[in-house]
Amino acid sequence: MTKTPTNPVPTPSVPAPDILRCAYAELVVTDLAASRKFYVDVLGLHVSYEDDRQIYLRSFEEFIHHNLVLTLGPVAALKAMAFRVRSNADVDAAEAYYKELGCRTERRTGGFVKGIGDAVRVEDPLGFPYEFFFETTHVERLHQRYDIYSAGELVRLDHFNQVTPDVPRGRAYLEDLGFRVTEDIQDEKGTTYAAWMHRKGTVHDTALTGGDGPRLHHVAFSTHEKHNIIQICDKMGALRMSDRIERGPGRHGVSNAFYLYILDPDDHRIEIYTQDYYTGDPDNPVITWDVHDNQRRDWWGNPVVPSWYTEASLVLDLDGNPREVVKRTDSSEMAVTVGADGFSYTRAPGNALTGDPGEEVGFKMGHQL
């Protein structure tokens, strides 16, 4: 049972905007040429526009102008995470919604970046820079351009992942905004360590990971199949970039997806992701994982490197300044999965497949989180 937030975000009286999906992220990078090599030459994202200050990139199946904007700046950080809404009226609704919450908002009828029309950016109650837009320039959808299809082709933007100190507070706020929970991680005391939340009928459009925040944990792109992810690993190895592979490849327990986590030249984390499941029915059941189940993060029980829990990108306010990072006061997932003796049980007693309650509890060494 999820604990009630101690400092809940108020529920506005005005309706929430109708959010369709996560649409694009704007990341500040400190070396545009190095970032271009990573995202275009290595990962194969397609350039919609570029100049000496910005690069606009999109995935293979996308028809809106971009899924990722790389903006040159002095400090690597998230400048905006953008959601597409159903209509221009929903941009109005987003502005009214956040104004009632007392959040800072900024509206630009010409958009904040190229290829996007009327949009509103907000500093949301969790400290994240959200954008809401409907108007966008349509570009060539490359979904049948198999002449340029790479072996590790990134086909869709799948989700964001946000680090926040108080997951129940963030969860309730996003539920008010119209997101639905698909999976979460809790302990026997009801402490919530993470929650996955969606609009588009997949496992998530964004997730909340408990930790010091606000920070951006990662941006995720999908491939068609598992072998596309393995090709990315092989390519990075051939380019002597294996040190930029942080975690994986593997299969998640949460989401059931095949995954890989890699780091760009500024240490922004990118997940490559494929084959999660449909969640669009209104009675889609929530799956809750025990924080001690070692299969929650990796279905094969492989270790999670500590950096995956501790490192994340700064986020900016609407003036472009880094937000203060607030410490998490609830237990950390990394801390509770390894005891003082260096061991941790990997799941509660019992065999889920046979129903035998007497199965021995497994243990792993402390570095295998």
PDB file of all heavy atoms in Angstrom, residues 345-362:
ATOM      1  N   TYR A 345      18.904 -10.439   0.714  1.00  0.00           N
ATOM      2  CA  TYR A 345      18.084 -11.494   0.115  1.00  0.00           C
ATOM      3  C   TYR A 345      17.525 -11.013  -1.213  1.00  0.00           C
ATOM      4  O   TYR A 345      17.315  -9.826  -1.422  1.00  0.00           O
ATOM      5  CB  TYR A 345      16.991 -11.959   1.075  1.00  0.00           C
ATOM      6  CG  TYR A 345      15.825 -11.026   1.321  1.00  0.00           C
ATOM      7  CD1 TYR A 345      14.778 -10.931   0.410  1.00  0.00           C
ATOM      8  CD2 TYR A 345      15.741 -10.282   2.489  1.00  0.00           C
ATOM      9  CE1 TYR A 345      13.696 -10.109   0.660  1.00  0.00           C
ATOM     10  CE2 TYR A 345      14.658  -9.460   2.748  1.00  0.00           C
ATOM     11  CZ  TYR A 345      13.635  -9.378   1.824  1.00  0.00           C
ATOM     12  OH  TYR A 345      12.564  -8.567   2.069  1.00  0.00           O
ATOM     13  N   THR A 346      17.333 -11.950  -2.107  1.00  0.00           N
ATOM     14  CA  THR A 346      16.964 -11.584  -3.468  1.00  0.00           C
ATOM     15  C   THR A 346      15.468 -11.657  -3.728  1.00  0.00           C
ATOM     16  O   THR A 346      14.996 -11.145  -4.730  1.00  0.00           O
ATOM     17  CB  THR A 346      17.679 -12.481  -4.486  1.00  0.00           C
ATOM     18  OG1 THR A 346      17.305 -13.852  -4.250  1.00  0.00           O
ATOM     19  CG2 THR A 346      19.186 -12.349  -4.361  1.00  0.00           C
ATOM     20  N   ARG A 347      14.742 -12.324  -2.868  1.00  0.00           N
ATOM     21  CA  ARG A 347      13.281 -12.325  -2.965  1.00  0.00           C
ATOM     22  C   ARG A 347      12.726 -12.909  -1.681  1.00  0.00           C
ATOM     23  O   ARG A 347      13.444 -13.573  -0.932  1.00  0.00           O
ATOM     24  CB  ARG A 347      12.791 -13.109  -4.178  1.00  0.00           C
ATOM     25  CG  ARG A 347      13.161 -14.589  -4.175  1.00  0.00           C
ATOM     26  CD  ARG A 347      12.623 -15.304  -5.409  1.00  0.00           C
ATOM     27  NE  ARG A 347      13.165 -14.712  -6.607  1.00  0.00           N
ATOM     28  CZ  ARG A 347      14.370 -14.981  -7.110  1.00  0.00           C
ATOM     29  NH1 ARG A 347      15.160 -15.835  -6.489  1.00  0.00           N
ATOM     30  NH2 ARG A 347      14.793 -14.420  -8.216  1.00  0.00           N
ATOM     31  N   ALA A 348      11.461 -12.674  -1.428  1.00  0.00           N
ATOM     32  CA  ALA A 348      10.824 -13.228  -0.245  1.00  0.00           C
ATOM     33  C   ALA A 348      10.742 -14.748  -0.358  1.00  0.00           C
ATOM     34  O   ALA A 348      10.755 -15.293  -1.466  1.00  0.00           O
ATOM     35  CB  ALA A 348       9.434 -12.630  -0.078  1.00  0.00           C
ATOM     36  N   PRO A 349      10.645 -15.475   0.789  1.00  0.00           N
ATOM     37  CA  PRO A 349      10.557 -16.935   0.725  1.00  0.00           C
ATOM     38  C   PRO A 349       9.357 -17.395  -0.078  1.00  0.00           C
ATOM     39  O   PRO A 349       8.322 -16.732  -0.136  1.00  0.00           O
ATOM     40  CB  PRO A 349      10.405 -17.335   2.200  1.00  0.00           C
ATOM     41  CG  PRO A 349      10.956 -16.186   2.972  1.00  0.00           C
ATOM     42  CD  PRO A 349      10.656 -14.969   2.159  1.00  0.00           C
ATOM     43  N   GLY A 350       9.520 -18.522  -0.733  1.00  0.00           N
ATOM     44  CA  GLY A 350       8.426 -19.102  -1.491  1.00  0.00           C
ATOM     45  C   GLY A 350       8.743 -19.186  -2.962  1.00  0.00           C
ATOM     46  O   GLY A 350       9.564 -18.441  -3.482  1.00  0.00           O
ATOM     47  N   ASN A 351       8.110 -20.112  -3.630  1.00  0.00           N
ATOM     48  CA  ASN A 351       8.302 -20.321  -5.056  1.00  0.00           C
ATOM     49  C   ASN A 351       7.050 -19.852  -5.774  1.00  0.00           C
ATOM     50  O   ASN A 351       5.985 -20.457  -5.650  1.00  0.00           O
ATOM     51  CB  ASN A 351       8.576 -21.810  -5.346  1.00  0.00           C
ATOM     52  CG  ASN A 351       8.959 -22.056  -6.785  1.00  0.00           C
ATOM     53  OD1 ASN A 351       8.384 -21.477  -7.698  1.00  0.00           O
ATOM     54  ND2 ASN A 351       9.935 -22.933  -6.987  1.00  0.00           N
ATOM     55  N   ALA A 352       7.169 -18.765  -6.528  1.00  0.00           N
ATOM     56  CA  ALA A 352       6.000 -18.179  -7.192  1.00  0.00           C
ATOM     57  C   ALA A 352       5.419 -19.111  -8.238  1.00  0.00           C
ATOM     58  O   ALA A 352       4.228 -19.044  -8.548  1.00  0.00           O
ATOM     59  CB  ALA A 352       6.378 -16.843  -7.832  1.00  0.00           C
ATOM     60  N   LEU A 353       6.237 -19.999  -8.804  1.00  0.00           N
ATOM     61  CA  LEU A 353       5.760 -20.885  -9.864  1.00  0.00           C
ATOM     62  C   LEU A 353       5.021 -22.097  -9.304  1.00  0.00           C
ATOM     63  O   LEU A 353       4.017 -22.535  -9.851  1.00  0.00           O
ATOM     64  CB  LEU A 353       6.941 -21.346 -10.724  1.00  0.00           C
ATOM     65  CG  LEU A 353       7.662 -20.243 -11.500  1.00  0.00           C
ATOM     66  CD1 LEU A 353       8.824 -20.833 -12.292  1.00  0.00           C
ATOM     67  CD2 LEU A 353       6.714 -19.514 -12.446  1.00  0.00           C
ATOM     68  N   THR A 354       5.501 -22.653  -8.160  1.00  0.00           N
ATOM     69  CA  THR A 354       4.890 -23.866  -7.616  1.00  0.00           C
ATOM     70  C   THR A 354       3.995 -23.609  -6.419  1.00  0.00           C
ATOM     71  O   THR A 354       3.217 -24.479  -6.024  1.00  0.00           O
ATOM     72  CB  THR A 354       5.990 -24.855  -7.184  1.00  0.00           C
ATOM     73  OG1 THR A 354       6.723 -24.273  -6.086  1.00  0.00           O
ATOM     74  CG2 THR A 354       6.955 -25.143  -8.341  1.00  0.00           C
ATOM     75  N   GLY A 355       4.111 -22.414  -5.824  1.00  0.00           N
ATOM     76  CA  GLY A 355       3.342 -22.120  -4.632  1.00  0.00           C
ATOM     77  C   GLY A 355       3.944 -22.693  -3.364  1.00  0.00           C
ATOM     78  O   GLY A 355       3.372 -22.586  -2.282  1.00  0.00           O
ATOM     79  N   ASP A 356       5.121 -23.298  -3.444  1.00  0.00           N
ATOM     80  CA  ASP A 356       5.790 -23.867  -2.283  1.00  0.00           C
ATOM     81  C   ASP A 356       6.286 -22.746  -1.374  1.00  0.00           C
ATOM     82  O   ASP A 356       7.126 -21.945  -1.783  1.00  0.00           O
ATOM     83  CB  ASP A 356       6.966 -24.724  -2.754  1.00  0.00           C
ATOM     84  CG  ASP A 356       7.745 -25.330  -1.594  1.00  0.00           C
ATOM     85  OD1 ASP A 356       7.305 -25.172  -0.443  1.00  0.00           O
ATOM     86  OD2 ASP A 356       8.787 -25.966  -1.851  1.00  0.00           O
ATOM     87  N   PRO A 357       5.784 -22.667  -0.129  1.00  0.00           N
ATOM     88  CA  PRO A 357       6.191 -21.555   0.749  1.00  0.00           C
ATOM     89  C   PRO A 357       7.548 -21.769   1.402  1.00  0.00           C
ATOM     90  O   PRO A 357       8.064 -20.872   2.058  1.00  0.00           O
ATOM     91  CB  PRO A 357       5.089 -21.531   1.804  1.00  0.00           C
ATOM     92  CG  PRO A 357       4.664 -22.967   1.900  1.00  0.00           C
ATOM     93  CD  PRO A 357       4.775 -23.533   0.508  1.00  0.00           C
ATOM     94  N   GLY A 358       8.147 -22.947   1.240  1.00  0.00           N
ATOM     95  CA  GLY A 358       9.348 -23.253   1.986  1.00  0.00           C
ATOM     96  C   GLY A 358      10.639 -23.119   1.212  1.00  0.00           C
ATOM     97  O   GLY A 358      11.688 -23.546   1.689  1.00  0.00           O
ATOM     98  N   GLU A 359      10.582 -22.548   0.032  1.00  0.00           N
ATOM     99  CA  GLU A 359      11.797 -22.421  -0.763  1.00  0.00           C
ATOM    100  C   GLU A 359      12.829 -21.568  -0.037  1.00  0.00           C
ATOM    101  O   GLU A 359      12.497 -20.580   0.624  1.00  0.00           O
ATOM    102  CB  GLU A 359      11.463 -21.781  -2.121  1.00  0.00           C
ATOM    103  CG  GLU A 359      12.664 -21.664  -3.056  1.00  0.00           C
ATOM    104  CD  GLU A 359      12.339 -20.843  -4.307  1.00  0.00           C
ATOM    105  OE1 GLU A 359      11.336 -20.112  -4.275  1.00  0.00           O
ATOM    106  OE2 GLU A 359      13.088 -20.937  -5.270  1.00  0.00           O
ATOM    107  N   GLU A 360      14.092 -21.941  -0.167  1.00  0.00           N
ATOM    108  CA  GLU A 360      15.159 -21.178   0.473  1.00  0.00           C
ATOM    109  C   GLU A 360      15.243 -19.772  -0.125  1.00  0.00           C
ATOM    110  O   GLU A 360      15.031 -19.576  -1.326  1.00  0.00           O
ATOM    111  CB  GLU A 360      16.502 -21.889   0.282  1.00  0.00           C
ATOM    112  CG  GLU A 360      16.623 -23.196   1.057  1.00  0.00           C
ATOM    113  CD  GLU A 360      16.628 -22.970   2.543  1.00  0.00           C
ATOM    114  OE1 GLU A 360      17.167 -21.936   2.988  1.00  0.00           O
ATOM    115  OE2 GLU A 360      16.069 -23.812   3.273  1.00  0.00           O
ATOM    116  N   VAL A 361      15.565 -18.818   0.739  1.00  0.00           N
ATOM    117  CA  VAL A 361      15.767 -17.447   0.276  1.00  0.00           C
ATOM    118  C   VAL A 361      17.143 -17.347  -0.351  1.00  0.00           C
ATOM    119  O   VAL A 361      18.117 -17.875   0.186  1.00  0.00           O
ATOM    120  CB  VAL A 361      15.654 -16.454   1.451  1.00  0.00           C
ATOM    121  CG1 VAL A 361      15.929 -15.037   0.976  1.00  0.00           C
ATOM    122  CG2 VAL A 361      14.276 -16.554   2.071  1.00  0.00           C
ATOM    123  N   GLY A 362      17.249 -16.686  -1.504  1.00  0.00           N
ATOM    124  CA  GLY A 362      18.532 -16.541  -2.168  1.00  0.00           C
ATOM    125  C   GLY A 362      19.300 -15.332  -1.657  1.00  0.00           C
ATOM    126  O   GLY A 362      18.709 -14.406  -1.120  1.00  0.00           O
TER     127      GLY A 362
END
